[in-house]
Amino acid sequence: MSRFATVLAASLLSASVVQAATYSVKDTFVGPSFLTGFTAQAIADPTNGRVNYVSQAQAKSLNLTYTSSDTFILRADDTTTLTPSGPGRNSVRLQSNKLYDTSLLVADIRWMPQGCGTWPALWSFGTNWPYDGEIDIIEGVNDQGPDASTLHTSPGCTLPSSISGQTGTLVSTDCNTADNGNQGCQVKSTNSNSYGPSFNNNGGGWYAMERTSTYIKVWFWPRNSANVPAGVKNGGSNLNTANFGTPFANFVNTDCDISSHFGPHHIIINLTFCGDWAGQQSLYAAAGCPGTCVDYVNNHPAAFKNAYWDFAALRMYE
């Protein structure tokens, strides 16, 4: 074998090793542990939503977060008619107390918020945004699926125009928050059950996000999937992503130095309304939603009885 061939073979072998890893469970959030491992942030919504994020104590007293031994619920107020000049609809934004770097997140979710005007997300970001980056695992608006996973970064991070090793559809390639209205670089799932009412009507499913210094991957398995790995389904203590199959999103480092664009991240679970994305009138109307987003959120509290997260578990592996 020539020296070139030897080097090439070694390089390919190294690449195959780098593209999967074995992880051990570090933190498990099930039921009450969500309320000790995460903290509600009573802050102004950075996305300008028609929302009032409440504190940990308020979330508990208003029954916007509650748990059982195997269930965690995060929901929005569904009884109050809002005044136009007053605060937005009460809801919750949870942030993990710990920061995570190279890691594997696995979430077992039974239900995600649905309804016109809703903008739920499961995501992660660093304390020095956007320089520490942002990874949107689950995100969408106005019940419009399928799910889209997105990276948001400082300048100098893009995706190639064609990516192998993923089943999703590449939507945009520029991750820079300063470009294209902060669209980010985005890959959309091709699974119709990955978001919104279709996700909920199918019993939910499992999401996984693997983050390393050279790639970020996102998988989704619907509840009735025959392909969900046993360790993912059963909350195994050790997981090997080589057994996960092809992710729907494979964010590669071809044109982005992931290690310099992403720092340690908090995990965020939140639900906002309207705002910079869900509140765009063209998108809101195209989803078949009535009137304007803000008016709908203000005056139709009962429409949000299904605007809640139901987590069976969230596990962090390192």
Side-chain angles (χ1 to χ4, degrees), residues 268-289:
I268 306 291
I269 307 167
N270 74 287
L271 168 60
T272 187
F273 302 95
C274 304
D276 297 340
W277 187 14
Q280 292 183 42
Q281 185 59 30
S282 59
L283 299 178
Y284 178 80
C289 294

Side-chain angles (χ1 to χ4, degrees), residues 148-164:
S149 287
T150 310
L151 304 185
H152 300 272
T153 70
S154 56
C157 180
T158 61
L159 297 179
S161 58
S162 178
I163 301 176
S164 61

Side-chain angles (χ1 to χ4, degrees), residues 38-46 51-59 65 74 90-97 123 125-127 266-271:
F38 287 76
T39 301
Q41 296 182 294
I43 62 173
D45 181 18
V51 70
N52 179 50
Y53 284 134
V54 300
S55 68
Q56 193 101 331
Q58 289 174 308
T65 56
L74 182 158
N90 283 344
S91 186
V92 184
R93 170 179 163 135
L94 284 188
Q95 176 175 290
S96 67
N97 296 332
W123 53 293
F125 84 120
T127 54
H266 290 286
I267 309 302
I268 306 291
I269 307 167
N270 74 287
L271 168 60

Side-chain angles (χ1 to χ4, degrees), residues 109-115 120 138-139 147 193-197 199-200 204 207 220 306-310:
I109 304 171
R110 302 186 185 101
W111 188 277
M112 67 174 65
Q114 67 179 60
I138 303 173
E139 187 178 30
D147 179 51
N193 292 329
S194 61
Y195 184 80
F199 175 92
N200 296 334
Y207 271 90
F220 169 67
N306 288 323
Y308 65 91
W309 287 100
D310 179 349

Side-chain angles (χ1 to χ4, degrees), residues 230-310:
V232 169
K233 185 175 184 178
N234 301 320
S237 57
N238 296 286
L239 296 179
N240 185 346
T241 55
N243 302 323
F244 281 18
T246 305
F248 81 79
N250 180 26
F251 298 102
V252 296
N253 67 343
T254 308
D255 302 305
C256 177
D257 181 6
I258 289 175
S259 62
S260 66
H261 282 89
F262 291 86
H265 276 196
H266 290 286
I267 309 302
I268 306 291
I269 307 167
N270 74 287
L271 168 60
T272 187
F273 302 95
C274 304
D276 297 340
W277 187 14
Q280 292 183 42
Q281 185 59 30
S282 59
L283 299 178
Y284 178 80
C289 294
T292 67
C293 188
V294 170
D295 179 74
Y296 187 75
V297 170
N298 283 353
N299 295 301
H300 297 85
F304 302 104
K305 66 179 181 179
N306 288 323
Y308 65 91
W309 287 100
D310 179 349

